[in-house]
Structures are given as C-alpha cells and as structure tokens.
Amino acid sequence: MAYFFQDVSRTFSEYLLVPGYSSEECVPANVSLKTPLVRFRKGEAPALSLNIPLVSAIMQSVSNDTMAIALAREGGVSFVYASQAVESQAEMIGRVKGYKAGFVKSDSNIRPDQTLVDILALKEKTGHSTVAVTSDGTASGRLVGLVTSKDYRVSRLDPKTPVSAFMTPIEKLTCARDGITISEANNIIWERKLNALPVIDDGGILTHFVFRKDYDTHKENPRELLDSNKSYVAGAGINTRDYEERVPALVAAGADVLCVDSSEGFSGWQKRALSYIRERYGDSVKVGAGNVVDREGFRFLADAGADFVKVGIGGGSICITREAKGIGRGQASAVIDVARARDEYFEETGVYVPICSDGGIVHDYHLTLALAMGADFCMLGRYFSRFDEAPTQKVRINGNYMKEYWGEGSARARNWQRYDLGGEGKLSFEEGVDSFVPYAGSLRGNLDVTLSKIRSTMCNCGALSIAELQKRARLTLVSSVSIVEGGAHDVTLKDQAGGQQK
C-alpha cells in the first residue's frame, strides 16, 4: 500500500520562536546575514555567498535585469526568468554584468572621423555620456581621445563637425596603465578630480575604464554583492528542454549562477540537465536545482551535482499546484525534513549543499522561521513583485495602487517548460493564477525593514549569524487561539474608529 508520512504537513504560521538568552553583544548591528549560495567542502569557503539570505524568484513578473541590479545592490541575487528567448535572457544578464564594475569594458566607442551626429546617436543608444575615441571605433582599439558632455554644445556646433575637432585628445588625458589595482585607480580619480579614468596597455590600446560613480555607488551600498571584477552578481533560470542552447549563452553573457526552473525536481529530466553542465563545464558553472519537499528528493539532486537545492511545492501565493494536482507539502515540514537531509549529507560526505526555501512566506517573520528551521536562504516572488523595480505595470484599482503578479504556470506566462513531463510543448492545465498585489514603493526601504526584523529576532534568540540561529533556535507549535492572541485583540484600533480612541 502507499506510504503515509506520520507527521502533519505544517506551515510557517503554525510555529513561533521561543526567546533564548541574549548577551550584551546581541544587538542588531552585530548580526551577520551572510550565507552560502553554493556547495562547498568542509574547511573551505563557498565560491559564492549572499550578503543577505534573499533571492528573487525565476518569474516573468519578478526577475528581470532591473530587479537583478537592485537586489545585487542590496546583497542578494535575482534569477532572471527563463521563460523568454535565449537571446533576450542573455542580453538581460549582460546588462546586469555591465551596469556596475570597477574595471569596465567600454561600450560607447567611436572613430575620430565620425561626427557629432554619431556621438548623439551613440548617447541615445547606450545612455552613456562618456565616449571613447579609438583608432578603429572599437572597445579594443588604440585610444586617441575622449568625448564627454563637456566637450560640445549641440546648439553651437555644426552636427557634421568631426569628433577629432572637439574631443579631448589623449595628450590632455590622465590615463592609467593596465595592471593597476582598483584602489590605485580610485586614488588617481580622487586626486585628479576625474569622472572617468581610461586604462591602456603599453601599446596605447584601451582595455578598461574606471568611473567615479562606481566608487560613490559602492560607498552608498555597503551590502552590494560583487564578483571578482567588481560587477554585480547575476543569476539566471534555465529549463530542462533547451539547456544545451541556453546554458552556453548565459555563461558567455557572464551569469554567475544558474538554477533549473521546475515545479518538481525529483526527476530524470533534472539529472540529465545537471549531467550536461557537469560534463561540459565541470564545477566552474554553478547551478541550483529543485524543487523537492523531502529527504529523498534532496539526496537525489545533491548526488546529481546540484550546487544548491530549492525546497517547496505548491506554497507560493499564486501557485495552485496543490489544488490542481494534489501534490506538495506544507512548507515548514518540507524545510525541516530537507534541512535534516542536508546535515546528514554533510556528515557523510563533507560536502555542504545549501538549501533554499521557495514559497510559503506570508509575513516577514516567516523568513526568520525558515532560516531557523535550516534554510540557508529564501526565494521570494510576491514579496519582490510589489516594488518599483519589478518589471510589471502599476495600476490603480478601487482607489489603490497595485502591481500585476502572475504565476509561471498561468495561461499568461505559458511557461510549459517549467512543468515539463516529456509531453507536448504546451500547458495542459493551469498551475498558477494571474493576480494583483498591493504596490509597496521602492525595494530598499521595504527591504531594510524586513532585514531589521530578521536581525532583531535573531538577537532575541541569542544568535549573531544564521548558523548560530539554526543551532540555538527553539521553536514551538501554536494553537489557533494563540495565533489570535498574537495579534491586536479586544481593542478598537484608532484607524478603524475615525482616529478616535475608544
């Protein structure tokens, strides 16, 4: 007969954290939210870590290049959605990787014999006011000058004027030699009061730029997540159908980490995709997999080579998989079970495979519960979809501003690859809905509040790191009446009484 799990399938709302001893050092300012993103061996550091334990979901209505830049600036990672053409997804990754860097490859270049008209067209195309003038008009040509908005006035210059007539020639430029460190380059920028510092090799060939604005941005965003080249870390979703075409394109575009986007990961399809990546790239390409909800599913993906494993089926706010198919598990139960399997695997093999809790987050405190139960980080869709940085439209409904939010299993997304079971290339039925969520403004302000809550709760538990929280946390199940007791009760709130206290 069928196997029956003995424990009840539970959600985050059925648990509370019980406070532990907090020393004088347990203050929010001392809490570190850094957490591993990919697998690592005991005694070694992970190749990629997050500065905050949050990543955005692989969804059309959540994760594009705009969200990826905004979230990397705050210390997390966005996984750019896979339900689009390979070329457009790779272009999004390219925009993220090129947006912020210490040493930047020039993407605005022109020849000295071109004209002001060409300068203006280039500025319109790239949005950049600094243009490198090279001998052949390429990013790797010999640098002969530089054009910025200070070098010309459109109203006083003939549009046909050659660039050589108004550019700042290289003889008057401050340049750095290839091999200079980012710290040395920034010192030159500040000492010479420059906005941009060209970097050239011994033959005068342009190799990179270093910009003042990048230094300023870093100082304003101390949590930002950068790669070794000082570019923002970017993630990308893949599927189990066209990975042989999609993965090489995303790797070439600079994606730092990939993730198989699938509603159910305990399958031969995911093992096949992971095997392809490992055979072609070895361990150099980092890729997560999922989703699973139990020990067996975790072991399967960990043995198949997944760098992290996503946990959760049917718990998302726009997901109706449980209603449509009767498949899934309460998110709290799933995280607890998989976390135990992750720890067992680490003890047996010496390899730590991080787990990502995906779905089931309704309130901010659910994030802290997920971390305490063993999750290394959480993937969020609805949470991020509410912000300006999400790619959806802001609309006004019944006097309130809302943002559009739809599931990948909805008819609108038509992401049949996510639910692929080897059949025809279409959705046979919906596993997601099309909806609205309350508009919440900018990501930063809201995220700061959420992170403050996590840090404060961790201090209540006597933990200054996520690893400490997982060791020291004490959790209790709650009854339905204690849930009521936990909110405002037996009073009339002021805003419900016309501003008058009752």
Side-chain angles (χ1 to χ4, degrees), residues 12 17 53-54 357 360-373 375 377-380 383 447 450-451 454 469:
F12 293 132
L17 284 157
L54 305 178
S357 177
I361 301 298
V362 179
H363 306 290
D364 285 349
Y365 81 89
H366 288 169
L367 293 167
T368 317
L369 284 171
L371 297 172
M373 291 172 179
F377 55 97
C378 299
M379 177 172 279
L380 305 172
Y383 178 89
L447 184 60
T450 297
L451 297 178
I454 295 174
L469 177 67

Side-chain angles (χ1 to χ4, degrees), residues 49 57 72 89 97 99 128 212 234 238 257 278 316 321 327 450 467:
S49 293
Q89 188 185 22
K97 300 304 293 183
Y99 182 82
H128 299 157
R212 174 189 286 266
I238 60 173
V257 57
R278 291 292 168 247
T321 294
I327 291 289
T450 297

Side-chain angles (χ1 to χ4, degrees), residues 149-167:
S149 56
K150 296 178 181 180
D151 290 313
Y152 59 88
R153 290 183 66 178
V154 176
S155 61
R156 296 189 178 184
L157 202 61
D158 187 329
K160 296 181 180 179
T161 304
V163 171
S164 58
F166 59 87
M167 71 180 186

Side-chain angles (χ1 to χ4, degrees), residues 107-142:
D107 64 354
S108 293
N109 310 285
I110 205 163
R111 297 190 313 274
D113 61 334
Q114 290 181 268
T115 66
L116 176 60
V117 171
D118 299 313
I119 286 285
L120 298 177
L122 189 58
K123 183 178 179 181
E124 177 70 21
K125 177 182 177 181
T126 66
H128 299 157
S129 58
T130 300
V131 178
V133 185
T134 61
S135 56
D136 59 2
T138 70
S140 57
R142 180 173 55 83

Side-chain angles (χ1 to χ4, degrees), residues 218-261:
H218 176 67
K219 292 302 180 184
E220 294 169 0
N221 302 286
R223 291 195 300 251
E224 63 185 357
L225 194 62
L226 306 174
D227 64 16
S228 58
N229 294 319
K230 306 299 182 183
S231 296
Y232 283 141
V233 172
I238 60 173
N239 60 60
T240 57
R241 277 282 181 138
D242 64 7
Y243 54 86
E244 293 186 11
E245 177 187 2
R246 192 172 295 270
V247 171
L250 294 172
V251 171
D256 298 278
V257 57
L258 308 176
C259 184
V260 181
D261 180 30

